[in-house]
Amino acid sequence: MKAMRALAGVAGLALMGVGASLLLDVRDLTGVLLWLGGAVVLHDGLIAPLVLLAGLVLVRGGVRGGVRGPVRGALTVAGALTVVALPVLLRPGPRANSSVLPLDYWGNWLVAVGGVVMVTALVLAARWFRRGRRGRP
């Protein structure tokens, strides 16, 4: 386990070095730093509290321990999909060029979130089935 942690730390440091070296080529460093600061504020001010609130609602709502993990995972993945999709989901109205953002992004987002729900349901069903089979002679 210590070797894996050390390897992950070395890989993280290497990637930080790559990121820092890429910053040297940026012409508008102020814009990049502003964007990075905005990402930190968005994460700490909105995303993290929403994740904590969802966890609290799951616990207070009576979601049992065996179900809580897959549901939390599904909420995390669905939230990440939503955050990534927000720029195209909230795009402005009609576009002058029809080749810009030509797909049905709302429909594709719904399919992706539906896939997360289906996988979560399958995991929960497999756990329920496996638990039920253990109790039988």
Side-chain angles (χ1 to χ4, degrees):
M1 191 58 145
K2 286 183 180 184
M4 286 298 286
R5 285 185 182 171
L7 184 61
V10 168
L13 287 173
L15 288 173
M16 285 173 30
V18 169
S21 70
L22 290 174
L23 278 177
L24 297 175
D25 294 336
V26 173
R27 290 191 178 132
D28 182 22
L29 189 59
T30 307
V32 172
L33 294 176
L34 184 65
W35 186 88
L36 289 172
V40 170
V41 169
L42 177 67
H43 177 271
D44 292 352
L46 182 67
I47 295 172
L50 285 176
V51 168
L52 292 172
L53 180 64
L56 181 66
V57 168
L58 287 175
V59 170
R60 301 273 185 197
V63 176
R64 295 179 312 148
V67 175
R68 199 176 301 146
V71 170
R72 279 191 305 205
L75 288 173
T76 302
V77 171
L81 281 169
T82 302
V83 167
V84 168
L86 273 179
V88 293
L89 294 176
L90 300 177
R91 72 179 185 264
R95 296 166 311 280
N97 184 348
S98 63
S99 67
V100 175
L101 301 176
L103 302 176
D104 176 22
Y105 293 100
W106 277 100
N108 293 340
W109 174 77
L110 287 172
V111 167
V113 172
V116 170
V117 170
M118 290 300 296
V119 168
T120 304
L122 288 172
V123 167
L124 292 173
R127 285 184 174 189
W128 178 79
F129 183 72
R130 190 173 62 225
R131 186 180 48 221
R133 298 282 293 172
R134 284 188 193 149
R136 296 180 187 156

